[in-house]
Amino acid sequence: MKTVFASALTLAAVLAGSVAAQPAPPSRDPATVQSGTYKVESPHTRIVFSVLHLGFTDYYGQFNGITGQLDLDAASPAKSAVEITIPTDSVDASNTVLTGELKDPTWFNAAQFPTITFKSTKVTPTGKDTAQITGDLTFHGVTRPVTLDAKFNAAGVHPFNKKYVVGFNATTHLKRSDFGVTKYAGLIGDDIDLMISAEFDKAS
C-alpha cells in the first residue's frame, strides 16, 4: 500500500511539474509585445484571395510558402516595417486544372514573374491593436501602392518550439486589371479581396 501511495504521489508531482512548465497563454495586450526582428513562420502563414466567378459565387484560392521579415517597434508602431515574398507558383485553387491555369502566361505567368512582393512604406496606427500598412505590391511585373488593414492577434512563447511569436490578420482590396491580369474580363470579377493570416517568429 505504501508503495502504491508513494507512486501516486510521484505521478502527481510529475504531472504538477509538467503543468507548471507550460508557457503562459498568448497575450492579446499589444503593450506586452516584444520589439525586434521577426521572420515569417511559413507553415502557419496564408494569403487567401477571393474573386467573383461568373456572377454566381465567390471563388477562393490561396498562396503558400510565404517568407519575409517584420521589424517591429512595439513602443512606436509607426516605425515598424514589413517585407513579404510570395512564390507565384505556390498558388492553390483547390483544383489541379484551375491551379495550373492560374500559373500559365495568360493569368499570373509564374515562369516570367516567379515572386509577388510587398514592401511597406508607412505604418499608421488606427487603434489599440489595429493599423493601416501602406506599401508597394509588385505582382505580374507591375508595382502599385496597396494599403492593408491589419489587426494584432496575440503574442507569446510558442508551446512547442519555445520561440517568441506574434500573430496578425490583415485584409485589403485590389483590382486585378491594375496589375495587367485581364483574362475573362466581364466574366471573372476584377475586384479581388485578400485575407492574410501571418505568424512571425522572433529572430534569435
Side-chain angles (χ1 to χ4, degrees):
M1 180 64 70
K2 290 183 177 179
T3 301
V4 173
F5 183 67
S7 298
L9 286 177
T10 300
L11 177 59
V14 170
L15 291 175
S18 176
V19 171
Q22 295 299 313
S27 172
R28 297 188 180 277
D29 182 0
T32 67
V33 178
Q34 297 178 12
S35 297
T37 298
Y38 291 78
K39 301 293 184 181
V40 170
E41 206 282 322
S42 295
H44 296 101
T45 296
R46 290 290 182 275
I47 297 179
V48 176
F49 61 87
S50 68
V51 60
L52 186 61
H53 180 252
L54 303 179
F56 296 118
T57 58
D58 288 321
Y59 191 81
Y60 293 85
Q62 70 174 24
F63 292 97
N64 309 306
I66 298 153
T67 59
Q69 177 172 307
L70 167 66
D71 293 309
L72 179 60
D73 189 327
S76 301
K79 298 178 181 179
S80 301
V82 63
E83 294 186 28
I84 299 295
T85 298
I86 307 161
T88 309
D89 192 63
S90 74
V91 64
D92 180 1
S94 301
N95 176 288
T96 54
V97 174
L98 292 178
T99 296
E101 287 183 3
L102 288 178
K103 296 178 184 181
D104 76 25
T106 62
W107 282 98
F108 296 173
N109 200 349
Q112 184 175 351
F113 307 110
T115 60
I116 302 165
T117 61
F118 175 82
K119 183 176 182 179
S120 68
T121 55
K122 183 179 181 181
V123 176
T124 305
T126 56
K128 179 182 177 181
D129 58 358
T130 59
Q132 287 192 328
I133 305 174
T134 300
D136 294 324
L137 176 66
T138 300
F139 168 51
H140 202 247
V142 178
T143 300
R144 288 186 175 274
V146 168
T147 297
L148 308 179
D149 291 310
K151 184 180 186 305
F152 166 73
N153 290 332
V157 176
H158 194 289
F160 301 122
N161 64 24
K162 308 306 179 185
K163 294 180 179 179
Y164 188 81
V165 178
V166 294
F168 298 89
N169 282 351
T171 59
T172 193
H173 178 88
L174 54 87
K175 291 184 179 294
R176 63 187 179 97
S177 59
D178 287 344
F179 295 87
V181 181
T182 58
K183 186 173 182 178
Y184 294 146
L187 293 176
I188 305 299
D190 189 28
D191 295 298
I192 307 296
D193 288 315
L194 295 181
M195 294 152 283
I196 303 159
S197 182
E199 193 170 301
F200 295 86
D201 290 339
K202 191 175 184 183
S204 301

